[in-house]
Amino acid sequence: MGCLGVFLTILSGLILMVLFVEYTGLMIGILFAIITLGIILYNKASTKQKEVEIKLEEEKAKKKVWEDGNKRKYNIPQDAKLVRYYKGNPNINKGYIKFYTWKDEKNINFVDSEFNIDIGKVQMQLDDIKYYYIIGDIYNEMSIEGGGNGGSSLGGAVVGGLVAGGAGAVIGSRKKNDPIKTINKKVDERKTIVVIKENNKVFNMEFEGKTYDVLLELLPEKERDYVKIISTKENNEDWLYKQIEKLASLKNEGILTEEEFQGKKKALLEKI
């Protein structure tokens, strides 16, 4: 504050003191009026805030009634999961929406969480789901914010971040109200891909990465690696049984003795 500012502050204080001494009654009246006005304004603001809160609660209650009604309409169970769908299904004319999803005996079901009547309920037969898998990564991205006209250098912020560690350093600029910060942000670029074969047509549905965990809970047997293992095992078993049939034919033809046949058969069965 400069000399002029100090002078004006002192002068204002002196004027108020003189007015209070000379016009005590008037000043008390003014103060009372100011206090009364403040109380009125405070009460008015509090009343308005309460009205807003009541309105929000009413809207929240109405939304819950509306949601519960739609959940009953579509038979959505209490344990239905929320997943975010991106694109890929030709039967869904909208993308990047949230679905309630759950599994029954024959289908996996999807209902738009906003209950859009244009989408309604989408069902996919479990037999049409070939497999699902996840792609992409989660990683931490560091960004530098702040600085402004404070005068701190970007290099100083980077050095400070390295010294302070991954949590991010706050480097004070010359203006304390404008610090430079290093911010760590988690970036999730994963996508869950569900491969569908419907009416002899194959298409991929894309969901957010978190959907993978939901599907592991609902459809563990459709996870791609598990499907590969089961498929390989089934193929191996078919091959082994065919080999045993060939051995039996060789035994019947007298090429293998009973002892040789049983030994080779036992060795093959141990591979199952």
Side-chain angles (χ1 to χ4, degrees):
M1 184 183 293
C3 294
L4 180 60
V6 173
F7 172 75
L8 291 175
T9 301
I10 295 173
L11 181 61
S12 299
L14 291 173
I15 292 172
L16 287 173
M17 288 176 63
V18 171
L19 289 173
F20 193 81
V21 171
E22 293 294 328
Y23 305 99
T24 303
L26 177 62
M27 293 300 293
I28 290 174
I30 292 173
L31 287 173
F32 179 78
I34 292 172
I35 292 170
T36 303
L37 180 61
I39 293 172
I40 292 171
L41 292 175
Y42 174 79
N43 289 336
K44 187 175 181 180
S46 298
T47 302
K48 188 174 182 180
Q49 179 64 28
K50 287 180 181 178
E51 289 175 353
V52 170
E53 291 175 357
I54 291 171
K55 188 175 181 180
L56 288 174
E57 287 297 324
E58 289 175 349
E59 290 177 353
K60 186 177 178 181
K62 287 180 181 178
K63 185 176 181 181
K64 188 176 187 310
V65 170
W66 175 74
E67 286 181 346
D68 290 344
N70 278 293
K71 285 182 178 181
R72 287 192 296 271
K73 175 183 175 181
Y74 291 107
N75 297 317
I76 300 175
Q78 292 295 322
D79 59 350
K81 310 295 183 183
L82 272 174
V83 299
R84 186 179 294 278
Y85 163 76
Y86 290 157
K87 60 182 180 178
N89 191 322
N91 301 317
I92 302 175
N93 59 9
K94 187 179 177 182
Y96 296 89
I97 54 178
K98 280 189 175 181
F99 279 118
Y100 286 107
T101 186
W102 70 98
K103 184 185 78 168
D104 56 35
E105 291 183 0
K106 295 182 179 180
N107 305 295
I108 186 165
N109 307 279
F110 297 93
V111 173
D112 179 13
S113 63
E114 297 296 324
F115 305 106
N116 189 324
I117 58 174
D118 293 333
I119 298 175
K121 186 176 184 178
V122 179
Q123 290 184 308
M124 291 188 301
Q125 293 185 12
L126 298 178
D127 291 341
D128 290 341
I129 301 174
K130 308 309 293 179
Y131 55 86
Y132 61 88
Y133 58 97
I134 191 167
I135 59 174
D137 296 304
I138 300 178
Y139 59 90
N140 287 326
E141 183 178 78
M142 188 177 75
S143 60
I144 298 176
E145 298 179 359
N149 297 320
S152 290
S153 67
L154 184 62
V158 173
V159 171
L162 293 173
V163 172
V170 177
I171 316 303
S173 63
R174 283 197 289 268
K175 290 185 178 180
K176 292 183 179 180
N177 61 348
D178 191 19
I180 295 176
K181 301 177 183 178
T182 58
I183 307 296
N184 274 334
K185 182 174 66 174
K186 183 177 287 187
V187 179
D188 189 348
E189 292 187 345
R190 298 176 304 163
K191 290 181 182 179
T192 301
I193 310 298
V194 182
V195 180
I196 310 293
K197 186 176 182 180
E198 189 176 82
N199 299 324
N200 293 322
K201 293 182 179 179
V202 178
F203 56 87
N204 295 346
M205 293 180 67
E206 289 187 14
F207 295 85
E208 70 175 344
K210 296 176 183 177
T211 304
Y212 180 80
D213 296 326
V214 174
L215 292 176
L216 277 179
E217 182 178 341
L218 297 178
L219 301 169
E221 72 279 6
K222 296 289 185 176
E223 203 280 331
R224 182 175 62 179
D225 291 339
Y226 182 83
V227 170
K228 285 181 179 179
I229 291 171
I230 296 301
S231 177
T232 301
K233 183 179 179 182
E234 289 175 351
N235 290 336
N236 286 341
E237 288 179 353
D238 289 342
W239 179 83
L240 288 170
Y241 290 134
K242 287 178 181 178
Q243 294 303 309
I244 292 173
E245 288 177 357
K246 289 180 181 179
L247 290 174
S249 296
L250 292 173
K251 186 194 75 168
N252 293 334
E253 293 173 7
I255 298 174
L256 292 177
T257 65
E258 179 66 27
E259 185 179 353
E260 289 173 332
F261 169 72
Q262 292 297 336
K264 292 182 181 296
K265 177 183 174 182
K266 182 180 179 182
L268 286 171
L269 291 174
E270 286 175 352
K271 295 181 180 181
I272 298 179

